[in-house]
Every structure is written in C-alpha cells, then in structure tokens.
Amino acid sequence: MSEFLGLADLSPGATEPPGAVLGEILAGPETGWLEGECAEPDEWSAGRVLVVRELRSSMYPLLRSSRAVVCAFGGPAGHMSAVCRAKGITVIRIPEADLVRMRGTVRIDRSRGLIDLGSARGSAPGVPADDVSRSAPPGSTCAVVAGGEEIDAVNESGWGSTVDRFFVREEFLCLEAGLSPLDLLAAGPDGQDRYAREMAAMILGMRSKLQPHQKIVYRLLDLRSDDAAGITRTAAVGEEANPELGLHGTRWIVETPAYVDVVRSVVRRLAEQEPGIHDSLALAGPFVADCHEFSQLAAALGLPERWTVSAFVETPAGVYDVPAICRAGAAEVFIGTKDLVQLFLAADRGNHRVAGSYNTRHPAVIDALARAIMACQSLEVPVRVYSFARDLDHYLSRLPRPTGYIMDSAELIARLGSHPGRRAERCLR
C-alpha cells in the first residue's frame, strides 16, 4: 500500500462505525470537525457541502463557495483537488454507493476521514493548539495560492516571514475570473486584449498584497484538452485519447503564437503600470520536459531585459535534464512531484483505483528529486520541491536540502498553526 495514501481501496461499509461513512480526505485540513448541509449542484447555495460524482473544472463557481465537497472519484493529486487544497476547501472521497446517503446535515471528522450522517449532537471536539506542529520547512517557503485571498491568509496567519514566494497557476486565475482562455484566443485581437488586461489586473491585485520580501511566481497557462473542454464554449477543443500526455504546457505555448502575444502584452502592461514589478514577479514555464523545450519557450517569449523565466519540471526526462535546463538560462527550478510521481510509476494521480501504486515516497522518486536538487546546487540555481504536508517530514529526512519547499497555502497554515505572536495580539484586542 502507498505510504502516501492511507486507503488504497474503499468499499461500502468498510470498518466505519454505525451511522457513518468511511472516506479519504483528498484536500483540505486533516484535523478537526466540519459540519454542513449536503446539496447537489441543482439545489446549490453557498456554504453547503457539495455532493458530486466527480470534480470538474466547470464546477469551479460551486467549489469556491462550498463548505466541503463529497465525491466518489478522484485522487489527492488531481487538478481540481489541487484548486481546493490551495483554497483550504475540504474534499472527501467516499464509495459511490454511499453518495445517495449524503442528505441533510452531516459532520466530517477530517482526522479519520469519517462522515457522521446523523444531525449535530452538540459541539464537535476541537484540536488542542499544542497538538499542531509549528515547525516551518527549512529554507524559503513557496506557497501555492489560487488568488489574492490566499496571500492574505498566509500573511495574516503571522507566518508570512517564512514565505518568500507565492506560486499561482494561470489556469487558476482564469477560473477565478470566469475566463475561457481558448475562447478569448480564438476571438481575435479584442478577445486577446481582454485576456491580457484581465490577467495583468489580477497580477497587480496580488502584487499589492505582498510583503516587501515576497515575490509572485506566475506559472503560464497549462490547460489540458479535457480541462479546456469543461470551460470552453465556442472555440474548437481537440480531443485527445490521453490528455495528460497530450498537447499542453510548454509544448502548447510554443505552438500557439496568439497566446505568446498575450503573455507579451501582460508583461508590457505590468511594466507600464508598475515599472519595477520584474523584481517581484517571475514567469515560469509549465510542464517543461527538457532543455530543448525550455530554450524554445524562452526564445518564443523574448522577454525584455531583467525579466526572467523559471522552469516548472515534472517529468522524468525533465528532472534528469535539470543541469541542461539550468545552463539554458532557467532563473529557478520548481519540481512538481504530483505529475512526476504518476509518470515515474505509471499510476494516474486522479484515479483512486491505482492509489496503492501512486506513492509520493517511492525510492525512484526520491532518487530523482535528490539528483535534481544536487544538480541545481552545483550550478547555484535556486530549486524548490513541491510537497504535500504529510510528505514533508519524509522528504526532509531523505533529500538534500533544496532552496525551499513548495506547499499549498492552506496546508502550510495548518501545519504551522497560528503564530504565537498573532495569538497574543488577538488576546489583547
């Protein structure tokens, strides 16, 4: 069984106490209780527990206003699970046969992955403050966010001093703004101008929330065809048999001149409105497979002087080609373990049926991460490694020390707890 997943297979009625359903927490804090009223999409209202068969990108407006999400399919490393994790929204997967039982008010025990189907029976136990780890990852931490709200949450938690990077994916910003990238690109100059204008405005809004030592890492669009199909209304979306290994990421960017023009327009708008913004904003190429792809991306973008491009590496070829990627000019290297694990182990990160094979601590993964970290160290290029909160201590004990770790903002706050100074401030108010 995977060291990462506690439940490789869920069957109806497996070991749960009477009146409860056993599930697996895919995203969100893994301590404490959560209570809410269940609702399916056609009866939705904000603040309820959303009950769906599987998460889809088209559900984003419902997800962002959910108290929690109960689903039957998916894994903790899936794309929409990642969105929910960044926003601190609890997602729990249960057997499909139990979805029909999700009615009325339920209580979710996030520490055990249990859903109590009875009505609230008094206050649920909390988690003692002393039981929460407050150790920050060594080095400088990069927090994954979905927008400005998560930047505020990290900085208001009192732990902003440990975070010097906020990592945001362009597709998250598109979901937040209700934009369909492919529709806008296909709409000609007017649509492309709107796309660039909206992205620049959102980046500037996030920039205004930073502390002086902090920086935004803006990962360019990485929209797989299956995700694009869920949010595209008029443009043609090419159907692919295997979207995960299809035309997306850096290879899509260099083949899409209209999108490259949008990126240049975003950079130009940002520089005009805030001339020194290049010091607090870095662009990152997504899903970089090797140094050839990174060089193609850098050449296609043709950024002005003082603007840098980093590489987001998440394929086996990429991690072993890190030395060449660094020599090709990558300002920083970000290693994404979610895709890396599924490609190394041939286990779909969003398919719970192979959860026992999707092992974020597999020796091959650890070896690849160690090699990439040491290569960056030897070339004096900053390197950061993505980690789920539950894997961090394992990585700390087995990997060379990178420049820092990448963690989802909600998981980072949950790991650190409330800063002692912040607790004292609240007591004095």
Side-chain angles (χ1 to χ4, degrees):
M1 181 178 292
S2 165
E3 291 183 75
F4 170 62
L5 296 175
L7 298 169
D9 177 51
L10 294 177
S11 56
T15 71
E16 71 267 20
V21 171
L22 176 64
E24 178 190 347
I25 300 295
L26 303 185
E30 296 187 8
T31 56
W33 288 77
L34 180 150
E35 179 183 313
E37 183 181 357
C38 292
E40 295 182 358
D42 58 359
E43 56 184 6
W44 181 249
S45 60
R48 304 176 81 178
V49 175
L50 179 63
V51 180
V52 293
R53 187 169 182 270
E54 60 182 325
L55 302 182
R56 299 178 183 273
S57 55
S58 57
M59 297 175 180
Y60 181 76
L62 305 184
L63 294 176
R64 72 184 307 275
S65 61
S66 300
R67 180 154 178 76
V69 181
V70 178
C71 62
F73 293 92
H79 286 264
M80 296 313 295
S81 293
V83 173
C84 292
R85 185 176 295 105
K87 287 190 164 295
I89 299 169
T90 293
V91 179
I92 182 170
R93 181 177 64 79
I94 65 173
E96 185 176 12
D98 284 323
L99 284 180
V100 297
R101 301 172 65 190
M102 298 297 111
R103 298 290 185 268
T105 300
V106 298
R107 294 195 306 169
I108 301 173
D109 180 350
R110 295 180 293 196
S111 63
R112 294 187 295 164
L114 289 175
I115 301 179
D116 183 349
L117 301 179
S119 58
R121 305 171 186 136
S123 59
V127 178
D130 291 342
D131 290 345
V132 179
S133 170
R134 290 186 175 77
S135 59
S140 59
T141 304
C142 180
V144 179
V145 298
E149 291 180 1
E150 291 76 46
I151 294 177
D152 284 338
V154 169
N155 286 337
E156 290 174 3
S157 74
W159 291 99
S161 60
T162 72
V163 174
D164 74 340
R165 298 282 193 280
F166 288 100
F167 190 93
V168 65
R169 304 166 189 258
E170 185 173 314
E171 54 269 28
F172 285 7
L173 295 186
C174 288
L175 288 172
E176 186 73 14
L179 299 179
S180 171
L182 299 190
D183 287 334
L184 292 174
L185 291 175
D190 289 344
Q192 294 160 24
D193 182 72
R194 180 192 169 197
Y195 191 174
R197 185 172 64 252
E198 294 270 7
M199 288 298 103
M202 295 188 78
I203 293 170
L204 286 171
M206 295 174 63
R207 169 67 182 84
S208 69
K209 299 174 179 294
L210 298 182
Q211 295 181 1
H213 67 286
Q214 294 173 337
K215 187 172 186 174
I216 294 171
V217 179
Y218 178 59
R219 195 177 88 155
L220 301 178
L221 188 66
D222 185 12
L223 191 62
R224 297 180 337 203
S225 57
D226 54 341
D227 287 331
I231 60 173
T232 303
R233 301 172 183 85
T234 58
V237 178
E239 186 174 341
E240 296 177 308
N242 190 346
E244 290 274 7
L245 304 182
L247 185 60
H248 67 95
T250 294
R251 60 186 63 158
W252 174 84
I253 293 174
V254 299
E255 291 190 17
T256 312
Y259 176 72
V260 172
D261 288 342
V262 167
V263 175
R264 290 173 177 165
S265 180
V266 170
V267 169
R268 184 170 59 253
R269 290 170 183 271
L270 292 173
E272 289 171 353
Q273 296 184 56
E274 193 171 333
I277 196 171
H278 52 73
D279 290 329
S280 57
L281 175 67
L283 273 59
F287 207 72
V288 175
D290 54 32
C291 69
H292 177 64
E293 285 192 359
F294 180 81
S295 297
Q296 284 186 312
L297 175 67
L301 294 178
L303 295 179
E305 187 178 359
R306 300 187 68 182
W307 284 80
T308 61
V309 182
S310 300
F312 198 86
V313 176
E314 45 198 324
T315 69
V319 292
Y320 285 110
D321 209 27
V322 157
I325 292 172
C326 292
R327 294 189 186 100
E332 293 183 275
V333 172
F334 298 89
I335 303 177
T337 53
K338 288 182 287 189
D339 265 318
L340 183 65
V341 170
Q342 78 167 353
L343 294 173
F344 255 112
L345 305 180
D348 184 350
R349 69 184 195 173
N351 186 347
H352 68 277
R353 298 181 68 182
V354 292
S357 298
Y358 186 91
N359 183 358
T360 50
R361 305 178 186 182
H362 192 282
V365 174
I366 298 299
D367 178 73
L369 293 175
R371 289 171 181 267
I373 292 169
M374 290 187 290
C376 289
Q377 289 173 338
S378 67
L379 295 169
E380 299 184 344
V381 174
V383 55
R384 292 173 169 81
V385 175
Y386 177 85
S387 175
F388 290 102
R390 65 185 84 176
D391 284 327
L392 183 59
D393 290 335
H394 186 88
Y395 288 173
L396 292 176
S397 66
R398 288 165 174 79
L399 292 175
R401 178 171 169 175
T403 308
Y405 280 90
I406 312 167
M407 296 183 66
D408 291 283
S409 56
E411 287 201 341
L412 179 65
I413 293 172
R415 176 183 172 87
L416 298 177
S418 178
H419 191 285
R422 289 285 174 169
R423 292 202 302 275
E425 288 176 13
R426 294 189 185 106
C427 291
L428 293 173
R429 288 176 184 170

